[in-house]
Amino acid sequence: MEQGWAAKMLNPDKDRENLSRVCWMLHDVGTHSLRAVFDSIHPPLNLKDHLSQPHIRTVLQRLHEQGILDDKQWKLLYPTKKKHTTSQQYDSRTLATLLQTICHLCPPYPNGWSAAPLSADSSLSADIVRLQLMFQHVAEMSK
């Protein structure tokens, strides 16, 4: 009886399948959560106007020049043809970058945006950092 239980726990195909499901769920639900927060701060109907404000464009232009936003992300934020931009087009990395830079959120204390927040920190900013760290962890596992 003990061996049957161990065999089930050591099934690499099942483990991979479960890991894939968890990764997919994290990506899907995490991105949806970031988008919901972003849309609550910058409603879709006002997004184009907000992104066209000179101080916002300057911040995002600097991020683009620094390589934090790549060309694909920049084209989604500022399409060459006067198309309407929407957060539905943004991936989790773009959403997290926008939340950190143009949404007036305070970085989690004391580690800021680049390190794990304190475990007792239940702020929105801390949760955004936690999601980013989970996304990075999953990306590293898949390499």
Side-chain angles (χ1 to χ4, degrees), residues 79-99:
T80 52
K81 297 179 182 171
K82 300 287 181 181
K83 290 191 278 184
H84 181 67
T85 187
T86 172
S87 67
Q88 294 296 320
Q89 301 166 315
Y90 306 158
D91 63 8
S92 59
R93 195 174 125 230
T94 304
L95 289 164
T97 301
L98 293 174
L99 286 166

Side-chain angles (χ1 to χ4, degrees), residues 3-119:
Q3 291 175 348
W5 177 82
K8 287 181 185 176
M9 293 304 289
L10 298 175
N11 183 345
D13 292 335
K14 190 68 170 171
D15 289 345
R16 261 183 262 157
E17 181 181 332
N18 288 338
L19 179 60
S20 294
R21 287 180 182 176
V22 169
C23 293
W24 177 83
M25 186 173 65
L26 170 65
H27 181 266
D28 191 48
V29 174
T31 304
H32 176 76
S33 298
L34 291 173
R35 185 173 292 114
V37 171
F38 182 78
D39 286 347
S40 73
I41 296 169
H42 298 297
L45 292 176
N46 301 333
L47 181 57
K48 184 177 178 185
D49 293 335
H50 182 73
L51 292 175
S52 66
Q53 293 176 3
H55 67 284
I56 298 296
R57 188 172 176 107
T58 300
V59 167
L60 296 177
Q61 179 103 34
R62 190 175 320 120
L63 294 175
H64 184 235
E65 290 166 359
Q66 294 171 346
I68 295 169
L69 290 173
D70 61 27
D71 290 337
K72 179 182 174 191
Q73 292 167 313
W74 181 257
K75 288 175 185 171
L76 289 174
L77 292 166
Y78 297 102
T80 52
K81 297 179 182 171
K82 300 287 181 181
K83 290 191 278 184
H84 181 67
T85 187
T86 172
S87 67
Q88 294 296 320
Q89 301 166 315
Y90 306 158
D91 63 8
S92 59
R93 195 174 125 230
T94 304
L95 289 164
T97 301
L98 293 174
L99 286 166
Q100 292 171 10
T101 57
I102 66 168
C103 291
H104 308 292
L105 298 175
C106 294
Y109 177 83
N111 299 327
W113 293 114
S114 59
L118 299 174
S119 59

